[in-house]
Amino acid sequence: MYTVGNVYVIAAVAVVGGALFGFDISSMSAIISTEPYLCYFNQGPLYLETDGKCSGPSADVQGGITAAMPGGSWLGALISGYVSDILGRKRAIQIGAIIWCVGSIIVCASNGIAMLIVGRIINGFSVGICSAQVPVYITEIAPPSKRGRLVGCQQWAITWGILIMFYISYGCSSISGTAAFRVPWGLQMLPAIFLFGAMLFLPESPRWLAKKDRWEECQMVLALTHAKGDQDSPFVHKEMAEIREVVEFERANADVTYLELLSPKMINRTHIGIFTQIWSQLTGMNVMMYYITYIFTMAGLGDSVLLPSSIQYIINVVMTIPALLFVDKWGRRPTLLVGAALMMIWLFTNAGLLATYGTVPAPGEFASEAESIKITGAPSKAVIACTYLFVASYAPTWGPVSWIYPSELYPLRVRGKAVALATSANWAFNFALAYFVPPAFANIRWEVYILFGVFCVAMFLHVFFLFPETSQKPLEEVDAIFDDTTPGSIRFLGTPAWKTKVQTYTAKMERGEMDPEEKFAKNELEHKEVGGEGEKRVSDATKVEAV
């Protein structure tokens, strides 16, 4: 039935759903400063002082055009939990691919701003579904020692999508007429067509199959992905037993709803998952991606803004690689904390440079009213350098971990809807920021950087005090962190976040390298962490699958 069992190949295909988001980001950022776009969607008079260049959409309208995609993504992410639970993770991703093609056709054929916005909303609906369910799909297939790396490929796919589409748009920018933007908007259908076709050869999530009582298929998928097709493998039998135990336990409870995510037992996990996605937006990274041409125009790059802008996309791709290789060893907490601290530094530095050396441009000097600051000389080069350093700080930290972390927090019965809710928060704030930034640059100018710098301070403190470590832990151990009732922990919060460490035993167990002393130490550690009644509760009731 299924022909592909290598988890790396499965992840490589599935994360093309993330590349769709990347395609959208750079197809907009590379196009909004080109003359064909500005003139076709022009709302104001020609700037005769600048050789008749068109003004394009107003700052408010351009914000609305850009924000249409994350607005649709918010709704798509919310309903993706229902779609995924009913039809399966795999089919939900394929539905997203079909919707993307429909939206891309409308965007490509746009004859005005209204049609462009409608097409981008439909595209966003697709991105919302894929961005929520691709991490769930990979999480439920990958083993713990590889889970972070494979789910992190979602972010790497986004960076590749951004880079590829930017150069397509850059190459098309020299085409005369509307083909300059219609060609790249049409080409962005190709990865969705590939995604739909390639997913036909991939297995469904074994956890979802188990929930639907398709046990033979579940065993077949586990054997295919973890034992090279050997259904008699001890590992497969162990996995089947644990999945069966989890499914039977969860069936003894009521069907999950979004309201359950707000119950006292789940609210802490829910808020952490939601804020992981919210903070990833409030870093300001997607602002850099959408409106980088505005920033570099203000820094004095003028008509040559597109090529220097592409450097940050290359940095984004390259600097994501260390996270894919080492994020499971680094851990989630240290990675997020370091990223927040570094981004805070670059944002505050840019704010200081623009406040000190920036001037108000002459009327008509820049095409967009959002380009409201002019900075030249050495300070402008420093602004560009800090922008690159900001991207280099985000790419190996909040970029991949914001997708990895939420999918690890929840038990099976609520995972689909919980990750969908967290992802919807991402898109809600993406929408707000995409709409907010052009008017913000027009009105408060350099203070925009101060605002995002303060957000980085807040996220650093939030992660330090409330985000537990989940790296390399089987998902039942994550349950134990939140349900811990040992002395010194708070019942509502579970184990204090700063006391949780990277699990170092799981990978060795999978490779058969753990010696007797390490096994004894692990048993002692689990006994201390869970203890007494808690130990019985984990083993008999709330134990979830070791992915």
Side-chain angles (χ1 to χ4, degrees):
M1 182 182 297
Y2 306 118
T3 58
V4 177
N6 186 292
V7 290
Y8 288 102
V9 175
I10 292 171
V13 171
V15 298
V16 173
L20 301 182
F21 176 34
F23 266 57
D24 179 85
I25 287 177
S26 55
S27 70
M28 183 54 61
S29 66
I31 286 171
I32 58 175
S33 62
T34 61
E35 188 172 351
Y37 175 87
L38 293 173
C39 289
Y40 192 79
F41 298 103
N42 186 46
Q43 285 190 301
L46 296 179
Y47 284 126
L48 299 178
E49 301 93 334
T50 54
D51 299 325
K53 289 185 178 179
C54 301
S55 61
S58 67
D60 288 342
V61 172
Q62 182 57 58
I65 293 171
T66 306
M69 195 282 294
S73 298
W74 170 78
L75 182 59
L78 272 182
I79 72 153
S80 70
Y82 291 107
V83 175
S84 176
D85 286 346
I86 295 171
L87 299 178
R89 319 309 193 204
K90 172 180 166 179
R91 287 181 182 169
I93 296 170
Q94 288 181 300
I95 289 171
I98 294 171
I99 295 172
W100 175 267
C101 290
V102 173
S104 296
I105 291 170
I106 295 174
V107 166
C108 182
S110 295
N111 58 8
I113 291 175
M115 189 172 176
L116 176 60
I117 289 176
V118 170
R120 285 180 57 77
I121 290 173
I122 295 173
N123 270 354
F125 197 77
S126 161
V127 170
I129 293 173
C130 291
S131 63
Q133 296 310 314
V134 167
V136 172
Y137 176 67
I138 297 174
T139 295
E140 294 182 348
I141 283 183
S145 61
K146 300 174 182 176
R147 189 171 62 222
R149 179 184 305 169
L150 294 176
V151 177
C153 287
Q154 164 99 337
Q155 177 64 20
W156 202 36
I158 292 173
T159 66
W160 272 109
I162 293 171
L163 181 65
I164 293 169
M165 193 62 184
F166 188 90
Y167 280 114
I168 291 174
S169 300
Y170 176 71
C172 294
S173 64
S174 59
I175 300 175
S176 60
T178 61
F181 55 83
R182 296 195 193 280
V183 171
W185 286 348
L187 289 175
Q188 66 184 1
M189 285 187 287
L190 295 179
I193 294 170
F194 166 81
L195 177 64
F196 180 87
M199 288 294 293
L200 294 173
F201 302 97
L202 302 190
E204 180 56 85
S205 159
R207 274 74 189 176
W208 182 85
L209 291 169
K211 284 178 67 176
K212 299 299 180 180
D213 282 328
R214 294 161 63 174
W215 293 102
E216 290 184 5
E217 290 181 65
C218 175
Q219 184 169 352
M220 186 186 307
V221 172
L222 288 173
L224 183 68
T225 56
H226 297 302
K228 298 182 179 180
D230 181 10
Q231 297 191 33
D232 296 323
S233 164
F235 181 80
V236 171
H237 287 295
K238 176 177 174 291
E239 285 276 273
M240 285 292 294
E242 291 179 343
I243 292 173
R244 191 179 298 275
E245 182 179 353
V246 172
V247 170
E248 289 174 356
F249 169 75
E250 292 178 348
R251 281 180 179 167
N253 297 272
D255 290 339
V256 63
T257 65
Y258 278 112
L259 288 177
E260 182 174 340
L261 299 175
L262 304 179
S263 66
K265 290 184 178 181
M266 290 300 303
I267 187 65
N268 191 34
R269 302 191 208 202
T270 301
H271 115 270
I272 291 172
I274 288 174
F275 268 94
T276 301
Q277 293 282 11
I278 289 175
W279 288 134
S280 74
Q281 289 300 314
L282 293 181
T283 61
M285 177 59 171
N286 280 340
V287 173
M288 296 288 186
M289 291 296 172
Y290 283 130
Y291 300 117
I292 186 63
T293 54
Y294 287 173
I295 296 168
F296 281 9
T297 298
M298 292 187 285
L301 295 183
D303 293 336
S304 61
V305 70
L306 283 182
L307 201 56
S309 299
S310 70
I311 294 175
Q312 74 157 359
Y313 301 135
I314 297 173
I315 293 172
N316 199 18
V317 170
V318 173
M319 290 303 296
T320 302
I321 296 174
L324 301 182
L325 297 176
F326 303 114
V327 70
D328 287 315
K329 294 181 180 179
W330 292 346
R332 315 300 186 234
R333 277 173 53 82
T335 303
L336 294 176
L337 290 170
V338 170
L342 289 175
M343 287 185 288
M344 174 192 67
I345 293 171
W346 312 129
L347 289 167
F348 284 149
T349 302
N350 262 356
L353 289 167
L354 291 170
T356 304
Y357 300 103
T359 59
V360 177
E365 185 172 356
F366 296 142
S368 171
E369 61 182 315
E371 297 162 341
S372 60
I373 314 172
K374 180 181 179 181
I375 186 169
T376 58
S380 73
K381 292 180 174 62
V383 167
I384 294 170
C386 286
T387 302
Y388 290 152
L389 289 169
F390 175 90
V391 174
S393 301
Y394 176 91
T397 58
W398 281 86
V401 176
S402 64
W403 296 109
I404 297 167
Y405 195 56
S407 61
E408 296 178 327
L409 293 172
Y410 308 101
L412 173 64
R413 65 186 304 270
V414 300
R415 189 177 301 136
K417 289 185 175 65
V419 174
L421 181 63
T423 307
S424 74
N426 177 305
W427 294 115
F429 276 76
N430 192 319
F431 168 83
L433 292 174
Y435 184 80
F436 157 81
V437 168
F441 272 131
N443 292 290
I444 64 174
R445 305 168 64 226
W446 59 267
E447 288 94 332
V448 173
Y449 285 98
I450 292 288
L451 186 62
F452 286 114
V454 171
F455 286 144
C456 286
V457 174
M459 70 182 68
F460 181 94
L461 296 174
H462 193 187
V463 170
F464 181 82
F465 287 108
L466 289 176
F467 283 41
E469 183 59 68
T470 59
S471 178
Q472 296 198 47
K473 297 178 186 291
L475 298 181
E476 73 269 22
E477 293 185 22
V478 177
D479 261 5
I481 292 173
F482 287 99
D483 293 338
D484 188 14
T485 56
T486 56
S489 68
I490 303 172
R491 173 63 180 137
F492 177 69
L493 296 179
T495 305
W498 57 89
K499 291 186 179 181
T500 56
K501 306 290 185 181
V502 177
Q503 174 60 270
T504 59
Y505 298 101
T506 304
K508 289 186 178 182
M509 290 179 67
E510 289 177 350
R511 295 193 300 265
E513 296 175 1
M514 183 178 289
D515 61 37
E517 290 186 5
E518 287 179 315
K519 289 182 180 179
F520 177 78
K522 181 176 186 294
N523 291 335
E524 287 294 298
L525 176 64
E526 289 179 338
H527 179 74
K528 289 178 181 178
E529 286 185 346
V530 180
E533 293 298 318
E535 184 176 13
K536 186 176 186 300
R537 183 180 67 254
V538 171
S539 61
D540 293 342
T542 62
K543 184 179 183 182
V544 296
E545 74 282 3
V547 190

